[in-house]
Amino acid sequence: MNNIRIIDLFDLSHTAAADYLRQFTYPWEALKGIREFIIKLGNSLDPDEYSNPSENVWVHKSAKVFPSAYIGAPCIIGAGTEVRHCAFIRGSALIGENCVIGNSAELKNVIIFDNVQTPHYNYVGDSILGYKSHMGAGSITSNVKSDKTNVVIKNETDQIETGIKKIGAMLGDYVEVGCNSVLNPGTIIGRNSNIYPTSCVRGVIPAGSIYKTGGIITAKKE
């Protein structure tokens, strides 16, 4: 199961959550404590660099938050990040530096690494998005199974019982998700992988892969 560990998916030098994530082996293990971690980290931030517009909300002074965006607590928005019109940040969101949270995007209980883009009509819940990952317009994470049972991570022949009801997707660094794709509960996409538009993805996608129409997975050519 080495391909789904935190150290296999993410370069931790690109997130303020590095020390927090190092406590865990697998990324879904970090979801439960995101809220408390953000509050602790936020209270340690330099007030000369971060504004505190409401309780447990910290926004770097170089970030741009449009007036129509909703920022729920707790939340940290990093340097150079842009939160565009009508973005809905429900809370428990750590957003890194130089990110784009776009028009009508909705975030909840997430760690967003630096340079991530969710620019158009995206839902990202109970998920971790790695460095320079990008979600195409209309692509979403589905974080609850239709039968409301606990999420199982499906990795080839392995069935990993998580004991958690809400898990969205874990996107490794440099992952590209095509427009209008659905990432089913417990989806894990390895670094440098691409997902074709309008895909319905589940399970573990190996690093350096292309996920094509019909669920066909091929290795990228070097």
Side-chain angles (χ1 to χ4, degrees), residues 119-171:
H120 313 286
Y121 307 103
N122 307 109
Y123 172 68
V124 185
D126 300 287
S127 299
I128 300 175
L129 307 189
Y131 178 62
K132 286 194 174 181
S133 59
H134 172 261
M135 296 191 68
S139 61
I140 64 169
T141 65
S142 174
N143 59 341
V144 181
K145 294 170 63 178
S146 59
D147 61 6
K148 307 301 189 292
T149 57
N150 291 338
V151 175
V152 176
I153 308 296
K154 298 178 180 180
N155 186 15
E156 296 181 348
T157 59
D158 293 326
Q159 304 282 314
I160 305 165
E161 299 285 348
T162 66
I164 303 172
K165 184 177 288 188
K166 292 186 177 182
I167 302 177
M170 310 293 154
L171 273 57

Side-chain angles (χ1 to χ4, degrees), residues 50-94:
Y50 284 82
S51 61
N52 184 205
S54 60
E55 185 178 6
N56 292 330
V57 172
W58 297 270
V59 180
H60 196 277
K61 293 180 180 179
S62 67
K64 184 175 183 179
V65 178
F66 285 73
S68 60
Y70 175 86
I71 312 296
C75 179
I76 296 173
I77 298 173
T81 285
E82 185 173 293
V83 181
R84 294 176 177 168
H85 288 294
C86 299
F88 180 28
I89 300 176
R90 288 168 52 188
S92 299
L94 174 63

Side-chain angles (χ1 to χ4, degrees), residues 5-214:
R5 298 176 303 175
I6 287 171
I7 59 173
D8 300 310
L9 294 166
F10 309 116
D11 180 348
L12 296 182
S13 68
H14 294 293
T15 177
D19 289 340
Y20 174 68
L21 291 172
R22 288 190 185 101
Q23 301 175 77
F24 308 101
T25 301
Y26 302 108
W28 61 87
E29 297 172 333
L31 295 176
K32 185 177 179 180
I34 290 176
R35 175 182 175 83
E36 291 74 18
F37 166 70
I38 291 172
I39 293 171
K40 181 178 179 181
L41 177 61
N43 284 314
S44 72
L45 295 174
D46 186 347
D48 291 333
E49 295 185 16
Y50 284 82
S51 61
N52 184 205
S54 60
E55 185 178 6
N56 292 330
V57 172
W58 297 270
V59 180
H60 196 277
K61 293 180 180 179
S62 67
K64 184 175 183 179
V65 178
F66 285 73
S68 60
Y70 175 86
I71 312 296
C75 179
I76 296 173
I77 298 173
T81 285
E82 185 173 293
V83 181
R84 294 176 177 168
H85 288 294
C86 299
F88 180 28
I89 300 176
R90 288 168 52 188
S92 299
L94 174 63
I95 303 169
E97 299 181 356
N98 303 309
C99 295
V100 175
I101 310 301
N103 171 32
S104 301
E106 179 180 349
L107 271 57
K108 169 251 180 186
N109 200 48
V110 293
I111 294 175
I112 307 293
F113 277 55
D114 299 339
N115 295 83
V116 169
Q117 294 191 345
T118 62
H120 313 286
Y121 307 103
N122 307 109
Y123 172 68
V124 185
D126 300 287
S127 299
I128 300 175
L129 307 189
Y131 178 62
K132 286 194 174 181
S133 59
H134 172 261
M135 296 191 68
S139 61
I140 64 169
T141 65
S142 174
N143 59 341
V144 181
K145 294 170 63 178
S146 59
D147 61 6
K148 307 301 189 292
T149 57
N150 291 338
V151 175
V152 176
I153 308 296
K154 298 178 180 180
N155 186 15
E156 296 181 348
T157 59
D158 293 326
Q159 304 282 314
I160 305 165
E161 299 285 348
T162 66
I164 303 172
K165 184 177 288 188
K166 292 186 177 182
I167 302 177
M170 310 293 154
L171 273 57
D173 300 336
Y174 301 101
V175 164
E176 290 280 343
V177 178
C179 295
N180 290 322
S181 292
V182 176
L183 309 181
N184 284 281
T187 295
I188 299 177
I189 304 176
R191 296 185 197 212
N192 297 295
S193 288
N194 290 56
I195 307 299
Y196 268 26
T198 70
S199 294
C200 183
V201 187
R202 68 180 68 249
V204 177
I205 310 304
S209 295
I210 300 174
Y211 186 98
K212 298 183 178 183
T213 304

